[in-house]
Amino acid sequence: MSSDETPNVPAARNSREAVREKAQQVHAQQTRARLMRRLIIGLVALVAVGSIGAAVAYAVSSSISKPQLSPSGMPGDGVTVSDISTTPSGAAAAPAPSASASEAGQEASPTPTPTSTPGAKPTEIHIYVDYLSAGAAEFERANARQLAGWISEGAVTVTYHPVALLTASSNGTKYSLRAAAAAACVATYAPDSFYDYNHELLTDQPKADSDGRTDVDLADLAVAVGVSDAKKVRSCIEKQDFVSWAKDATDRALEGPLPGTDDMKLNNEALILVGGKSYVGALGDPAEFSQFVLTIASDEYFGSTQPTPTPVPTPSATTAPAS
């Protein structure tokens, strides 16, 4: 038979070259795929880094463009009330009666009252208030009338220090902090209305573990008590201008020393200091508080005015002349 009938089969060398070429094509495709993945990952990372950088830059620029604000008229982080043009709502600014003898000759025992004595300095009272504190509210309701009377007489000066120890007790709204900041807004832009605003915040107090007032509500209350510059007060409250200050002021009070004391620190959300001494009596008993103030005022007055006794020389013994 003729050899022409043998099938035309490609040589082994041609087959190997075809396989090699195919492998090279596959390798090239895989290389391109890897390069593409790396490029995509790099672009994603670049975008992410850029976003983070932009966020950081925005935060930094925001903090620079909005500096920390501090209220004015609050040395020692407090508002001193030395004159009251209006009395607390529902109470007349009259002092409690002073002690006097009865017609039968027996000494009566009514509530003692500090009075302004010529040459004597007013007794300093510092009141630290958290506007969510039940104790602070109880003290204000019980003592607002006699405090107003003493201030009007010039017998005392009262300095209120807004603090925020109960910030976590308002369902996450930070009411104590925002209320303290709102009080600072009123002290800064409408100081004549601070006493009334402080009184309303305490006597019409939201319940603990509630949301408390919103910033709009706090601003509305300021307008309701008659602040003189309602537009500035509202803007200050609603923008939370003094929230950072309120937090820092609370930290300073916790670290101490408190104004007028040597080493005392804030230890509760309703702290009352009279002449640098802490009142530990019943917050709702005006007679007990009045007695405490009278005692401090008497100690201050007699301690500063009573002269130091001068020793009297003892006469020396003499010998009688002889008779």
Side-chain angles (χ1 to χ4, degrees), residues 271-287:
L271 176 66
I272 299 96
L273 302 177
V274 180
K277 296 180 174 59
S278 178
Y279 173 65
V280 295
L283 295 174
D285 188 342

Side-chain angles (χ1 to χ4, degrees), residues 107-186:
E107 184 176 348
S109 56
T111 303
T113 303
T115 56
S116 180
T117 304
K121 293 182 178 179
T123 301
E124 294 185 0
I125 300 176
H126 290 262
I127 304 176
Y128 290 79
V129 292
D130 186 307
Y131 292 111
L132 201 56
S133 166
E138 180 184 13
F139 178 82
E140 179 70 13
R141 292 190 187 97
N143 294 278
R145 179 174 180 266
Q146 64 181 6
L147 283 173
W150 297 343
I151 292 171
S152 298
E153 290 179 352
V156 303
T157 60
V158 178
T159 302
Y160 289 93
H161 300 261
V163 294
L165 296 180
L166 301 176
T167 300
S169 301
S170 52
N171 294 334
T173 68
K174 300 182 179 180
Y175 175 75
S176 289
L177 191 64
R178 293 184 296 104
C185 289
V186 174

Side-chain angles (χ1 to χ4, degrees), residues 1-12 14:
M1 289 181 64
S2 171
S3 61
D4 292 340
E5 296 179 0
T6 304
N8 189 15
V9 179
N14 294 335

